[in-house]
C-alpha cells in the first residue's frame, strides 16, 4: 500500500479486496455499522476494504487483491472479479503457491 501511495495514487483510488478473512481495517470500520461502512465507498476519501465475494458494485482505479485463503476456484473467481473492478491497475498479493495458480505456465510470481 505504501508503494502505491508513494507513487502518487490517491487513497480514494484504491480498493483492497480479500479472498479470506476480512482485513483488520474493514473489521474496524464495520464496527460503526453497515450504513457508515458503505458510505465510505461513495465518499472515496480513503482506501476502501471489502470482501472479494461481495455482490455490491465496487470499482476503483486500483484494486489490490489479497489472497489470504485457499481453493483454486475461489481464488480464480476472486481474481476475475477484481480485474473487472480495476480501472487501470490490479495488484495480486498472497503466498506463492496460492497466487501461482492464477498464472499457469509461469515460472513463478514476481515478489514485491
Amino acid at each position: 500500500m505504501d508503494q502505491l501511495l508513494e507513487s502518487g495514487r490517491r487513497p480514494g483510488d484504491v480498493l483492497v479486496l480479500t479472498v479470506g478473512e476480512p482485513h483488520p481495517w474493514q473489521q474496524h470500520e464495520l464496527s460503526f455499522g453497515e450504513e457508515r461502512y458503505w458510505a465510505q465507498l461513495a465518499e472515496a476519501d480513503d482506501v476502501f476494504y471489502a470482501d472479494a465475494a461481495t455482490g455490491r458494485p465496487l470499482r476503483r482505479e486500483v484494486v489490490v487483491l489479497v489472497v489470504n485463503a485457499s481453493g483454486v476456484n475461489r481464488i480464480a473467481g476472486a481474481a476475475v472479479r477484481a480485474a473487472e473492478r480495476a480501472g487501470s491497475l490490479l495488484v495480486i498479493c498472497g503466498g506463492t503457491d496460492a497466487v501461482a495458480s492464477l498464472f499457469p505456465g509461469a515460472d513463478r510470481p514476481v515478489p514485491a
Side-chain angles (χ1 to χ4, degrees):
M1 188 59 59
D2 289 339
Q3 288 178 339
L4 287 171
L5 299 176
E6 289 169 5
S7 73
R9 301 286 183 170
R10 290 182 333 100
D13 290 341
V14 181
L15 171 64
V16 176
L17 299 173
T18 55
V19 177
E21 287 291 317
H23 188 279
W25 191 251
Q26 178 186 358
Q27 293 174 14
H28 169 76
E29 293 300 327
L30 278 167
S31 71
F32 298 104
E34 287 272 333
E35 186 175 322
R36 179 69 200 123
Y37 167 73
W38 289 108
Q40 292 177 33
L41 176 65
E43 293 165 2
D45 292 331
D46 205 353
V47 176
F48 190 78
Y49 296 84
D51 186 318
T54 187
R56 290 189 181 241
L58 304 174
R59 184 158 176 82
R60 293 255 172 116
E61 277 304 302
V62 177
V63 173
V64 177
L65 179 64
V66 179
V67 180
N68 58 341
S70 59
V72 173
N73 291 338
R74 182 177 179 189
I75 294 167
V80 168
R81 287 187 300 278
E84 292 168 349
R85 293 171 168 160
S88 62
L89 179 64
L90 172 62
V91 178
I92 300 176
C93 304
T96 302
D97 292 338
V99 173
S101 68
L102 297 172
F103 305 98
D107 291 334
R108 62 186 172 148
V110 177

